[in-house]
Amino acid sequence: MIFAIQEINKNEDILGNISIGYRIYDNCGSTLSSMRAAMALMNGHELTLGNSCSGQSAVHAIIGESESSSTIVLSRTTGPFQIPVISHSATCECLSSRKEYPSFFRTIASDLYQSRALAQLVKHFGWTWVGAVNSDSDYGNNGMAIFLSAAQEEGVCVEYTEKFDRAEPEKLLKVVEVIRKSTARVIVGFLAHVEMNNLLEQLSLHNITGRQFIGVEAWITADSLVTPTSFSVLGGALGFAVQKANISGLEDFLVRDFWKTQFLCNEANMETSQNPCKASQDLMELSDKDDDVEELRYSTNIYKAVYAISHSLHTVLKCSEGQGCQKMVEIKPWEVVEALKNVNFTVKNGDRVRFDQTGAAVARYEVVNWQRGTDGSVQFRPVGYYDASLPSGKRFILNTDAIMARGTKEPPVSVCSESCRPGTHKVLQKGKPVCCFDCVPCPVGEFSNTTDSIGCKKCPEAFWSNQNRDACLPKEIEFLSFTEVMGKILIFFTLFGVVLTLIVATLFLVNKDTPLVKANNSELSFLLLFSLSLCFLCSLTFIGQPTEWSCMLRHTAFGITFVLCISCILGKTIVVLMAFKATLPGSNVMKWFGPAQQRLTVLFFTFVQVIICILWLTINPPFPLKNFKYYLEKIILECALGSPVGFWAVLGYVGLLALLCFVLAFLARKLPDTFNEAKHITFSMLIFCAVWITFIPAYVSSPGNLTVAVEIFAILASSYGILFCIFAPKCFILVLRPELNTKKHLLGKTQH
């Protein structure tokens, strides 16, 4: 401050014919002392020095203080008098209120920016689980509140938030215990350097190390924290610092004063009892002293504050080049405040000085990292910067490669829960922050292909999640194929049935002229055997990948062939009844139901089914369908009925003919033994009806390709039932008891 004032007083361009004076007070870290100093400054006690000052009021501006709490007291005390207060390091956001602090300015940025930048820094390294400790003061409480809000927006969780005051050792010990028990490896310390020093001492005393500290400008570059044991606690610490001072002439000014103090000498042209300073002083005497001028940081802010006041006074006093300032103008404090609001100039180091609407300077920070130098000393190494004046995407720049965390370039890991791999999703743990979660595998049919997914997505309908649940694969398409075991078994029984039918047909053909074959209506028998072979073969249309043509063929072929089969049986049943009536005296009924009528009957019943099938195929035919309903992990490729009415009409017509045939055969079951074929037809129809009545609920309830298997089973079972019940007894006689295949035997049995 003194350097800047002397520089201004020598500069004729600023306040040309007026000099600035000053008075320095030390508040000794006490807000009470700050209030006393403010009152003294406003009352003008002991401020005037003879006649060297004009008749203006005692003080026109106050520079201070360093800490936010003291600055708040100072600003509230001077506020009613509108005396401007400019602080170089009070960063509390609470001071941004122009309503409460209308005459407050600062050449440092508000903690609003630093707190948000801290949250971004933590997020940058993926530290989602941190602890937070702050000074129990306006500075610490306001700064921490902003950080917590920003951290929440960034998705960072805070395990604990503790605070203590420098005069509260009990609370400090509690904080140390909380840190010791915590699982968070990163600690954000929004502390004044005094509180940070106290915390550092206790952490070193309790040997609590291995934490990554994130610091603020108040302590991150404080030399007082550098001790022989502090690096074990703060090594690798990261934080935001005020930019280094770059003021030409300041180093010479400070070194000259330092030289005089150390060697107890004075400049040769000054009258003093001390010896004059010599250029040949023994510098070895200063070997244990450090030239730390280049490490000064707040000096720039003070320098700017002094110049801001001088520029505002320059405006109020209406100074002009060549004529100087109007000394007789009365300086009113509010005029200085208004002039400060409009200052906009550049100091000699190139920095522009102006205040925003809250009275603060533009936020510019240097990111520093606690590292050990090659000589073992602790260094505050710059590793990035934050500049709020830049566009949003360029404000925060970090050189990650230059950062050292406790001797290694690998940053520590500080998370409540490890990241959830793809294939899982996060489920929050009850009663804990959002950063604490369990990784739960995605349900079947769902997937997640990103890390830390908050939920799983359903696979598209035709896809299914893989075993890892991190991708979707096409679902397996399933249908009753010729190559699978069930398909092969059904094909075997189908072909076996066809072969048996052909054997029976061959046997009947060989014995077509025998009494037994003639007595059983050989023409209808051969037609029945032909239709049975078709019934067996139509089951093959149900096997294989469904297509548009196969779907239409399988149901219509089934309906028509079975109607043909039942029509033949119905014809044989009617023949039995007619033949019995023909044996009665005077009966001439057989001429009304001869071979031609039998053929027409079969043709008529079959034609009706053909008409039903044509209507079904014309209006709403069956079609191949991908069924996603029965199985989640696979697609059942099946034939949809198209029109359920058409399907049940075809099946119902078959059932109606079978029921009619069963009733007629049941009525003829007690006819003479010569016509015992009625009993065989009754049994065959009983089996047929039982199979298809059982088929209906089984068909409706069977899932997937089992529906097709049930339908094939019903076709084969009913076909085998008809084949064995009607033709097995006759084949037994033809093959094993040929002596019974005589007209005499048949007539004898009748007479018996």
Side-chain angles (χ1 to χ4, degrees):
M1 187 191 74
I2 297 173
F3 168 76
I5 291 175
Q6 290 184 5
E7 192 175 69
I8 291 169
N9 288 339
K10 294 176 183 178
N11 188 349
E12 294 183 358
D13 295 332
I14 305 176
L15 300 173
N17 56 344
I18 293 179
S19 297
I20 302 175
Y22 59 88
R23 184 79 174 184
I24 298 175
Y25 282 83
D26 189 350
N27 69 357
C28 301
S30 168
T31 55
L32 181 59
S33 297
S34 297
M35 187 177 295
R36 287 175 179 169
M39 296 302 295
L41 288 170
M42 288 186 297
N43 292 330
H45 294 319
E46 300 180 0
L47 290 182
T48 58
L49 300 176
N51 298 321
S52 61
C53 291
S54 65
Q56 301 284 357
S57 60
V59 64
H60 304 304
I62 299 174
I63 295 179
E65 292 193 21
S66 300
E67 293 189 345
S68 295
S69 296
S70 299
T71 305
I72 290 172
V73 173
L74 179 61
S75 298
R76 285 177 176 172
T77 303
T78 60
F81 302 94
Q82 293 187 311
I83 297 177
V85 174
I86 304 181
S87 175
H88 60 286
S89 67
T91 58
C92 181
E93 170 61 14
C94 57
L95 286 164
S96 296
S97 173
R98 302 311 283 168
K99 183 177 180 180
E100 292 187 55
Y101 310 101
S103 58
F104 174 74
F105 298 86
R106 49 186 162 189
T107 52
I108 193 170
S110 158
D111 280 332
L112 176 67
Y113 299 97
Q114 180 176 216
S115 297
R116 291 176 177 175
L118 284 172
Q120 294 177 27
L121 179 64
V122 170
K123 182 65 175 179
H124 176 83
F125 288 99
W127 296 325
T128 57
W129 188 238
V130 302
V133 182
N134 65 274
S135 300
D136 191 4
S137 62
D138 297 287
Y139 168 73
N141 293 331
N142 280 274
M144 183 55 70
I146 298 172
F147 167 76
L148 293 177
S149 177
Q152 186 176 13
E153 293 177 5
E154 295 287 348
V156 176
C157 297
V158 180
E159 182 183 8
Y160 59 86
T161 305
E162 297 293 331
K163 60 184 177 180
F164 67 95
D165 185 76
R166 62 192 65 175
E168 297 176 326
E170 299 82 8
K171 282 190 176 181
L172 174 58
L173 293 177
K174 178 193 171 186
V175 172
V176 171
E177 185 63 17
V178 170
I179 293 175
R180 188 181 66 81
K181 293 182 178 179
S182 70
T183 58
R185 312 309 297 173
V186 174
I187 302 173
V188 177
F190 217 107
L191 300 156
H193 74 279
V194 176
E195 280 85 357
M196 186 62 206
N197 186 67
N198 295 343
L199 178 62
L200 176 61
E201 288 180 359
Q202 290 299 321
L203 292 176
S204 300
L205 183 64
H206 290 81
N207 195 29
I208 299 176
T209 59
R211 267 68 172 180
Q212 172 69 51
F213 271 87
I214 306 297
V216 291
E217 41 46 71
W219 66 264
I220 194 66
T221 56
D223 289 330
S224 60
L225 298 181
V226 179
T227 65
T229 59
S230 63
F231 195 81
S232 62
V233 177
L234 294 180
L238 281 167
F240 294 97
V242 176
Q243 290 180 317
K244 290 182 180 180
N246 181 21
I247 305 171
S248 61
L250 177 61
E251 183 172 4
D252 292 339
F253 176 82
L254 295 176
V255 169
R256 189 184 304 113
D257 191 57
F258 174 72
W259 188 288
K260 290 186 291 184
T261 303
Q262 292 298 316
F263 289 110
L264 300 177
C265 64
N266 212 324
E267 295 183 18
N269 59 351
M270 294 185 64
E271 294 182 4
T272 177
S273 59
Q274 295 179 344
N275 298 323
C277 294
K278 300 178 182 179
S280 60
Q281 297 283 169
D282 187 3
L283 297 180
M284 292 303 295
E285 298 178 25
L286 307 179
S287 60
D288 60 338
K289 306 295 182 182
D290 291 327
D291 181 8
D292 58 355
V293 175
E294 63 179 17
E295 293 298 327
L296 295 177
R297 294 180 182 271
Y298 291 98
S299 299
T300 301
N301 293 347
I302 300 169
Y303 185 78
K304 293 175 182 178
V306 174
Y307 265 87
I309 294 171
S310 66
H311 274 271
S312 62
L313 290 174
H314 187 90
T315 301
V316 172
L317 293 173
K318 301 176 182 179
C319 301
S320 61
E321 187 176 354
Q323 296 182 0
C325 304
Q326 299 179 15
K327 295 184 178 181
M328 301 308 296
V329 174
E330 182 182 357
I331 301 175
K332 298 177 181 179
W334 65 268
E335 292 180 324
V336 181
V337 172
E338 292 301 318
L340 280 169
K341 292 179 181 178
N342 299 314
V343 296
N344 189 350
F345 61 93
T346 302
V347 293
K348 61 182 180 181
N349 67 351
D351 289 347
R352 179 161 292 278
V353 179
R354 63 181 183 273
F355 300 106
D356 62 19
Q357 59 185 2
T358 66
V362 177
R364 291 188 180 94
Y365 295 105
E366 201 173 59
V367 183
V368 298
N369 180 212
W370 276 51
Q371 298 184 11
R372 279 206 183 277
T374 54
D375 58 352
S377 63
V378 176
Q379 297 178 352
F380 308 134
R381 188 71 56 84
V383 292
Y385 67 86
Y386 179 89
D387 190 341
S389 65
L390 298 177
S392 58
K394 299 180 179 179
R395 291 178 181 175
F396 188 26
I397 302 298
L398 199 63
N399 183 8
T400 309
D401 294 335
I403 296 175
M404 297 291 289
R406 306 185 59 78
T408 175
K409 289 186 177 293
E410 287 297 324
V413 177
S414 185
V415 294
C416 182
S417 301
E418 293 293 333
S419 295
C420 291
R421 63 168 181 81
T424 62
H425 69 285
K426 297 193 294 187
V427 176
L428 299 182
Q429 295 177 359
K430 189 175 181 180
K432 291 188 176 182
V434 294
C435 300
C436 300
F437 49 82
D438 296 318
C439 297
V440 178
C442 290
V444 292
E446 298 183 12
F447 77 103
S448 68
N449 55 4
T450 58
T451 303
D452 286 337
S453 174
I454 60 175
C456 300
K457 301 176 184 177
K458 285 186 175 296
C459 290
E461 192 176 33
F463 291 80
W464 193 246
S465 55
N466 60 2
Q467 187 175 3
N468 293 330
R469 306 285 194 270
D470 56 3
C472 289
L473 304 176
K475 286 183 179 180
E476 176 188 356
I477 297 179
E478 185 176 278
F479 55 87
L480 186 59
S481 67
F482 291 97
T483 56
E484 63 180 284
V485 176
M486 183 180 293
K488 291 178 180 179
I489 293 173
L490 294 174
I491 292 172
F492 170 78
F493 282 103
T494 296
L495 297 179
F496 184 69
V498 173
V499 171
L500 285 181
T501 305
L502 292 176
I503 292 174
V504 172
T506 303
L507 189 61
F508 266 57
L509 184 62
V510 171
N511 296 279
K512 64 179 180 177
D513 297 326
T514 61
L516 181 62
V517 176
K518 288 182 177 182
N520 282 277
N521 197 330
S522 59
E523 184 176 347
L524 285 180
S525 295
F526 281 115
L527 187 57
L528 176 59
L529 288 170
F530 172 72
S531 64
L532 278 175
S533 63
L534 293 180
C535 288
F536 280 116
L537 290 174
C538 81
S539 63
L540 295 177
T541 62
F542 289 83
I543 305 175
Q545 182 173 347
T547 63
E548 185 176 352
W549 285 102
S550 68
C551 287
M552 291 190 291
L553 178 63
R554 64 172 58 172
H555 290 101
T556 53
F558 152 74
I560 293 172
T561 55
F562 264 86
V563 165
L564 178 62
C565 177
I566 301 301
S567 299
C568 293
I569 297 173
L570 184 60
K572 291 173 69 69
T573 306
I574 295 174
V575 168
V576 171
L577 290 172
M578 293 301 178
F580 174 73
K581 293 290 184 180
T583 60
L584 298 177
S587 176
N588 196 25
V589 71
M590 281 303 294
K591 71 177 182 178
W592 299 106
F593 200 73
Q597 288 78 10
Q598 296 171 18
R599 297 189 197 100
L600 286 174
T601 301
V602 173
L603 182 61
F604 172 75
F605 286 130
T606 306
F607 181 73
V608 173
Q609 184 72 305
V610 170
I611 295 300
I612 295 174
C613 291
I614 291 174
L615 291 174
W616 182 15
L617 295 179
T618 303
I619 298 172
N620 192 3
F623 58 90
L625 173 70
K626 291 181 178 180
N627 193 326
F628 301 96
K629 181 174 65 174
Y630 290 116
Y631 299 102
L632 296 175
E633 71 280 5
K634 55 187 176 181
I635 302 172
I636 302 300
L637 190 59
E638 61 185 14
C639 286
L641 297 177
S643 172
V645 175
F647 172 75
W648 291 111
V650 169
L651 195 63
Y653 183 66
V654 174
L656 179 64
L657 292 182
L659 182 62
L660 178 61
C661 187
F662 173 74
V663 171
L664 293 177
F666 182 78
L667 294 175
R669 74 190 186 284
K670 293 186 179 180
L671 294 179
D673 288 345
T674 303
F675 304 102
N676 61 4
E677 188 174 27
K679 293 181 180 179
H680 303 150
I681 293 174
T682 302
F683 279 117
S684 67
M685 289 298 99
L686 185 63
I687 293 173
F688 184 89
C689 291
V691 168
W692 286 101
I693 290 172
T694 307
F695 159 78
I696 293 174
Y699 178 83
V700 172
S701 60
S702 296
N705 58 1
L706 291 180
T707 304
V708 178
V710 168
E711 197 164 357
I712 295 175
F713 174 80
I715 293 172
L716 294 178
S718 56
S719 299
Y720 275 110
I722 293 172
L723 180 65
F724 281 106
C725 289
I726 294 179
F727 291 99
K730 300 175 180 60
C731 291
F732 176 78
I733 293 175
L734 291 174
V735 177
L736 300 178
R737 300 292 299 275
E739 68 276 9
L740 300 179
N741 189 9
T742 61
K743 186 176 181 180
K744 180 179 178 181
H745 174 73
L746 294 175
L747 294 175
K749 287 183 69 110
T750 304
Q751 293 170 356
H752 178 73

